[in-house]
Amino acid sequence: VLRSALLPFHLQRGVESLPNEILAVIFQHVPLSDRKSLSLVCRRFRNVLSETPQLWCEISSMHTMDHVSKCLVKSGSTGLDIELVIASQRFDKQMFDTVLSHSARWRSLEILVGYEWSYANATLAEIGRKCKDVHFSQLQSLSIKFPDEYGDRDINDPLVLSSNNGL
């Protein structure tokens, strides 16, 4: 009985004994949508979440402009993982321009193309024009994903891009 009563205290001390760097690694596996709740657990969690640049490097066009701006500041000089969702005319071109100004920090770029092909095609063309003279010196990964309904193209087939494409 005493052991079960002390278990929550023991677990709490266990977390308290972890260095902030280990907590940051653990927090990297927490979905972005849950990090706000995690920051409310205690002051230490909030500080680790707020002061660890690696926790702010995931940017999506689905985020608000305020969140994107916060990520760009709090991530410091850390590489950025960019997700562009091009669907239903919801693509935020202002957000893209803001994130593009940090292209030297892009570590990965994932473009998710929606079902409205005419809109997606025009948006991809505009992105291509904007990226024409941009150098992505840190880019390690680029993926463009299409819905599998687009004809014979298998979603798992690689899309080959050359330096002539502006990337």
Side-chain angles (χ1 to χ4, degrees), residues 17-164:
S17 67
L18 292 174
N20 288 348
E21 295 80 10
I22 299 297
L23 283 177
V25 170
I26 293 168
F27 293 169
Q28 284 178 325
H29 298 282
V30 174
L32 288 175
S33 58
D34 294 333
R35 290 184 187 168
K36 175 72 173 172
S37 297
L38 190 60
S39 72
L40 300 174
V41 171
C42 65
R43 183 179 302 142
R44 181 173 179 220
F45 282 19
R46 184 174 53 252
N47 290 341
V48 169
L49 284 163
S50 179
E51 297 169 6
T52 305
Q54 295 81 4
L55 297 174
W56 294 92
C57 64
E58 297 174 15
I59 296 176
S60 172
S61 61
M62 300 302 285
H63 294 154
T64 65
M65 191 62 204
D66 286 342
H67 182 77
V68 169
S69 297
K70 185 184 287 189
C71 286
L72 291 171
V73 170
K74 289 185 174 266
S75 62
S77 61
T78 303
L80 299 172
D81 300 312
I82 309 297
E83 175 189 72
L84 301 178
V85 179
I86 303 173
S88 304
Q89 301 190 16
R90 295 179 57 196
F91 184 69
D92 187 340
K93 294 174 184 176
Q94 176 191 5
M95 186 282 302
F96 178 73
D97 290 342
T98 301
V99 173
L100 185 61
S101 68
H102 295 265
S103 61
R105 295 173 46 205
W106 288 15
R107 182 175 47 209
S108 68
L109 172 60
E110 180 176 47
I111 300 175
L112 305 173
V113 179
Y115 291 96
E116 292 184 28
W117 180 242
S118 61
Y119 174 75
N121 191 34
T123 304
L124 284 169
E126 183 176 349
I127 289 171
R129 283 190 297 278
K130 290 182 177 189
C131 294
K132 183 178 179 191
D133 296 320
V134 176
H135 298 282
F136 299 93
S137 56
Q138 301 297 314
L139 192 64
Q140 300 170 5
S141 170
L142 170 64
S143 67
I144 302 176
K145 297 182 180 178
F146 298 87
D148 59 358
E149 285 80 11
Y150 291 155
D152 296 329
R153 176 152 166 58
D154 183 343
I155 195 166
N156 295 314
D157 287 345
L159 179 63
V160 178
L161 300 173
S162 70
S163 59
N164 296 337

